[in-house]
Amino acid sequence: MNISWTPIKTAIVFALCGAALVTTGAGASGQTPPAAATAGTAQATLRPGDDFFAWANKDWLAKTAIPEDRSRWGAMDSLAEDTNQRIVKLIERVSDDKKAGPEARKVADYFNAYMDEAAIEARGAAPLTPELARIAAIKDKAGLVRALGASLRADVDPLNNTHFATENIFGLWVSPGLHDPAHNWPYLLQGGLGMPDRAYYLDNNERMANLRTQYQKHIAAMLKFAGYATTEADADARAAKIFALEVDIANTHGTRADSADVLKADNTWTRKEFAANAPGLDWDAFFKAARLGDQGKFIVWHPSAVKGEAALVGKVDLATWKDYLAFHTINRMASVLPKAFVEQRFAFYGKALSGTPQQSVRWKRALGATNEAMDDAVGKLYVANYFPAENKAQLQRMVGNIVTAFGKRIDKLDWMAPATRAQAKEKLKTLYVGVGYPDKWKSYAGLKVDPKDAFGNAMRADAFHTDQELAKLHAKPDRTAWSMPPQLVNAVNLPLQNALNFPAAILQPPFFDPKAPDAVNYGAIGAIIGHEISHSFDDQGSQFDAQGRLRDWWTKEDMEHFKAASHKLVEQYNAYKPYPDLAVNGQLTLSENLADLAGLEASYDAYRAAAGKAANEESDRQFFIGYAQSWRTKAREAAERRGILTDGHAPPQYRTATVRNLDAWYKAFDVQPGQALYLPPDERVRVW
């Protein structure tokens, strides 16, 4: 439950925003819904009520081009770029400082090892040899199961960062139990695909068919570069079998919409039940190899995938599985291998999947890798230099005001029963809000970093992270723990902890500017704060109580009213059609759309209360323009299509259109019937 559209892990800091492209279609009121403007469509005669996104951002849209190394570009991307420029200079400073502390030195060594292309080229594919040799040594299905178990990594997070799948056969998430907030539990999620989602394997259309062809060529190329396949024909034959296995895996996977439904994920299996529920795989051997042999119970997020993939372990021949493991090992490690591997990976994942013409320069990729390996250590450097205490204090006051405003909105709900209201207020009262950076930093004392070994560093960092997560299974949950590092341009609601994180990097212009009018700040960062608060009460967050326990604390009548109001928002977003053959999925994006609406409403109330008599229609306009400009974004078609299929966030132009549900927006901009965004009062969605 975060604010950003993140269809692909980026080369730098991890989270980015959505896209803006020309759209057509009929809106909920019978009018044409907002068209996402490109540079040529934002005309001077455009009215706020026709397309608020294009009107508020017309100057930016007209003069801004997407950088060649990006699939999209917007306020979040630009801010992430500025943040990364700052961090790289800090790392360079540490590199030259002989008195730098051991943790800062590890950050610099990790970054510099990645930057040493000459050393990487000199080693060639040799670093892969031990990994591929281990796969080649697998003699039977028992050995295969042990290898699959050993490959398990803590690389998914279905609630906080919506990472529903992994390239490994399964993914591990360690978090408080859905019904047991006093203990951390192991969660098992689907995995095993090299493309983003089951739709890329199963959808029957020309574009997906073309991507499937290109993916098979990518598999073959990687096998040849690594010397794993000796001839082109051999590589093609092996690639075809690997791809066929992934198609079978894709058929077992849950959809994105099902993955986002926590009630469908609420499946507790004892370790003994795995053999009966998912035959075909020796689960005791698997869990032992995964270092989970001491765990008696698991939450199986995707039972169909666990059952289906276990069966495939038994059914598919050993040679195909070994080739599959070899390819995915090569594919995952491509960024720290010679140039041929790097360029091939970008050709598929960058150009073909996301439409990005040019790969990011090396330092950006190096920083992305360093962030992923040692996020808190990098965050310490950033916070110490770029997040003053007065900014944190000002943001904390805003948070307090918006929490108060949200509480008042709950008090005024005539449809909510007193018992439900009391528990909703308890959630607000016990909410932990982290601003800027965590109370406790992660330690990297046990991570070995070699300034001359980029491949080894990546392998060790990956294993080190999983070790840290496994250790949580023997410790009490910490509800103040962060799931995002301070240098990330994003924000998140953590339902199992009843907590929010607002990293330092997003607390900068255009989202937060201590010198800007309060109205602008409340429209931008205030709406984001409200967005994350409201996630505690949306279609997903409302399923968790004040302690983070999955529990139905609503009356039947309250929930029916909430669902009916929410359904109107589903219909509103289903009507947005960026392409003739592709519409926004109102159900998939419902949680985020509800949060956008409730967050904007609560932040508006908080701004008005803080401004008092100084608030007027001019400051209201500043508020709404601040909101719209914080979502300014452009994207390439391939990236937007990918996001619409796989991401829980709607494209930013439609998130901006949330304003059409607020009466104050109509008054501030004199929006009248006949304008494209106009909704009659009874069609405006009102939930909170």
Side-chain angles (χ1 to χ4, degrees):
M1 297 183 182
N2 56 43
I3 63 164
S4 293
W5 189 355
T6 55
I8 187 169
K9 186 178 290 182
T10 64
I12 323 175
V13 176
F14 318 116
L16 299 172
C17 162
L21 294 169
V22 176
T23 63
T24 58
S29 65
Q31 303 292 337
T32 302
T38 59
T41 62
Q43 302 175 1
T45 56
L46 189 68
R47 298 170 295 186
D50 292 322
D51 186 338
F52 192 55
F53 176 88
W55 179 86
N57 294 299
K58 58 181 179 293
D59 293 338
W60 183 89
L61 290 165
K63 68 183 182 182
T64 302
I66 304 172
E68 289 295 296
D69 65 343
R70 297 300 187 94
S71 62
R72 56 194 183 278
W73 189 253
M76 286 188 170
D77 310 77
S78 178
L79 185 51
E81 179 80 3
D82 292 344
T83 300
N84 290 325
Q85 293 276 3
R86 290 173 169 180
I87 294 171
V88 164
K89 290 178 181 177
L90 292 174
I91 292 174
E92 291 172 348
R93 193 184 307 165
V94 169
S95 299
D96 297 332
D97 184 1
K98 294 181 180 179
K99 296 182 180 179
E103 189 171 88
R105 173 61 56 197
K106 285 185 180 182
V107 170
D109 286 348
Y110 198 101
F111 177 87
N112 291 328
Y114 196 104
M115 288 294 293
D116 193 349
E117 291 181 272
I120 293 172
E121 289 293 330
R123 289 193 179 94
L128 283 168
T129 301
E131 305 305 316
L132 298 182
R134 274 190 279 273
I135 295 169
I138 298 173
K139 301 301 183 184
D140 49 30
K141 288 293 179 75
L144 172 64
V145 169
R146 290 192 296 271
L148 292 172
S151 74
L152 192 71
R153 291 291 181 267
D155 54 1
V156 288
D157 183 341
L159 278 181
N160 306 326
N161 293 309
T162 58
H163 295 159
F164 293 124
T166 169
E167 200 169 340
N168 295 309
I169 187 172
F170 299 119
L172 173 69
W173 184 47
V174 178
S175 197
L178 292 176
H179 302 281
D180 181 17
H183 299 90
N184 285 317
W185 282 54
Y187 292 69
L188 208 61
L189 276 75
Q190 64 192 14
L193 302 180
M195 290 198 287
D197 183 73
R198 70 192 301 274
Y200 285 76
Y201 296 83
L202 307 178
D203 280 7
N204 186 23
N205 60 62
E206 184 178 352
R207 182 175 180 277
M208 290 303 196
N210 181 53
L211 283 173
R212 290 192 279 269
T213 299
Q214 292 185 67
Y215 179 54
Q216 288 189 67
K217 292 179 179 178
H218 168 68
I219 297 172
M222 285 299 204
L223 295 177
K224 281 198 68 179
F225 289 149
Y228 191 82
T230 54
T231 66
E232 187 169 334
D234 183 32
D236 289 344
R238 291 179 183 226
K241 289 184 177 181
I242 293 167
F243 179 75
L245 173 55
E246 291 194 26
V247 171
D248 288 341
I249 291 173
N251 273 296
T252 75
H253 272 210
T255 65
R256 285 279 164 156
D258 284 346
S259 295
D261 187 342
V262 69
L263 295 180
K264 292 182 179 179
D266 184 15
N267 309 288
T268 299
W269 291 7
T270 66
R271 201 170 80 226
K272 292 181 179 179
E273 287 176 327
F274 276 83
N277 292 345
L281 187 154
D282 182 346
W283 285 102
D284 284 342
F286 177 88
F287 287 131
K288 182 178 179 181
R291 292 177 293 156
L292 291 166
D294 61 347
Q295 298 299 303
K297 294 181 180 180
F298 295 77
I299 295 176
V300 178
W301 200 274
H302 297 106
S304 67
V306 172
K307 292 177 183 178
E309 293 183 64
L312 288 171
V313 171
K315 291 177 183 177
V316 175
D317 65 278
L318 183 62
T320 297
W321 272 113
K322 289 169 70 172
D323 288 349
Y324 166 91
L325 287 174
F327 162 66
H328 283 287
T329 298
I330 300 163
N331 200 43
R332 284 195 304 271
M333 301 307 296
S335 66
V336 283
L337 289 169
K339 189 176 181 180
F341 292 88
V342 174
E343 291 185 345
Q344 173 57 43
R345 183 172 174 88
F346 175 74
F348 180 70
Y349 289 100
K351 289 183 179 178
L353 270 180
S354 300
T356 308
Q358 180 179 307
Q359 186 161 218
S360 296
V361 294
R362 187 77 185 186
W363 74 261
K364 294 183 180 182
R365 288 177 274 143
L367 181 55
T370 309
N371 269 319
E372 189 170 356
M374 303 179 66
D375 54 3
D376 269 20
V378 177
K380 271 188 189 179
L381 291 174
Y382 177 76
V383 166
N385 288 271
Y386 290 107
F387 191 61
E390 55 267 29
N391 284 17
K392 181 167 183 170
Q394 186 173 344
L395 263 299
Q396 287 174 323
R397 286 193 294 272
M398 286 185 68
V399 168
N401 291 341
I402 296 168
V403 168
T404 297
F406 203 95
K408 289 181 177 178
R409 295 191 74 87
I410 291 174
D411 287 336
K412 293 178 181 178
L413 294 175
D414 57 6
W415 54 267
M416 183 172 277
T420 308
R421 179 180 290 109
Q423 294 192 67
K425 295 297 290 287
E426 181 65 17
K427 283 199 78 170
L428 280 180
K429 180 182 177 182
T430 58
L431 184 69
Y432 166 78
V433 182
V435 174
Y437 49 87
D439 299 337
K440 302 173 187 175
W441 297 95
K442 286 184 284 189
S443 170
Y444 297 90
L447 175 62
K448 179 186 175 184
V449 177
D450 185 333
K452 299 294 184 181
D453 185 13
F455 186 97
N457 290 341
M459 292 285 290
R460 288 186 291 272
D462 185 39
F464 182 78
H465 171 69
T466 295
D467 289 346
Q468 288 182 316
E469 294 301 301
L470 288 172
K472 292 180 181 178
L473 292 170
H474 305 282
K476 290 184 177 180
D478 178 6
R479 64 185 303 264
T480 69
W482 280 50
S483 76
M484 289 182 168
Q487 68 275 25
L488 179 65
V489 181
N490 208 339
V492 68
N493 181 296
L494 310 172
L496 290 174
Q497 297 168 223
N498 192 24
L500 313 178
N501 298 166
F502 296 103
I506 199 173
L507 307 177
Q508 306 176 73
F511 299 97
F512 170 71
D513 183 350
K515 299 178 182 178
D518 278 354
V520 174
N521 281 331
Y522 274 96
I525 193 63
I528 289 172
I529 293 168
H531 172 107
E532 297 304 339
I533 293 170
S534 70
H535 266 315
S536 296
F537 306 94
D538 64 15
D539 64 315
Q540 291 190 39
S542 62
Q543 298 172 110
F544 297 86
D545 65 17
Q547 287 72 45
R549 183 183 292 104
L550 182 64
R551 181 172 68 85
D552 184 5
W553 49 273
W554 293 58
T555 67
K556 179 182 178 181
E557 293 75 18
D558 287 347
M559 184 52 69
E560 287 176 352
H561 183 281
F562 178 81
K563 287 182 176 179
S566 299
H567 185 67
K568 291 179 66 177
L569 203 60
V570 171
E571 292 179 328
Q572 190 176 110
Y573 275 78
N574 280 341
Y576 298 144
K577 209 170 181 186
Y579 305 98
D581 64 331
L582 185 64
V584 174
N585 185 330
Q587 188 60 50
L588 176 64
T589 59
L590 176 60
S591 293
E592 300 301 330
N593 299 335
L594 282 168
D596 284 344
L597 175 56
L600 189 62
E601 290 174 326
S603 188
Y604 177 80
D605 289 353
Y607 131 70
R608 273 281 182 163
K613 293 181 179 179
N616 53 42
E617 286 187 16
E618 175 56 32
S619 61
D620 276 11
R621 284 190 287 272
Q622 290 178 335
F623 173 88
F624 288 113
I625 291 171
Y627 177 72
Q629 291 183 344
S630 72
W631 288 118
R632 60 191 184 217
T633 311
K634 286 185 174 183
R636 304 185 193 282
E637 180 176 332
E640 181 165 65
R641 283 180 175 273
R642 178 177 178 177
I644 291 169
L645 284 172
T646 64
D647 197 86
H649 304 81
Q653 64 269 28
Y654 304 120
R655 300 183 73 171
T656 302
T658 299
V659 297
R660 68 197 304 216
N661 295 299
L662 274 71
D663 297 340
W665 175 74
Y666 288 82
K667 185 177 180 181
F669 295 97
D670 191 29
V671 178
Q672 298 295 326
Q675 296 178 15
L677 281 176
Y678 181 84
L679 286 172
D682 62 346
E683 290 187 25
R684 297 169 197 170
V685 178
R686 309 177 198 277
V687 182
W688 296 104

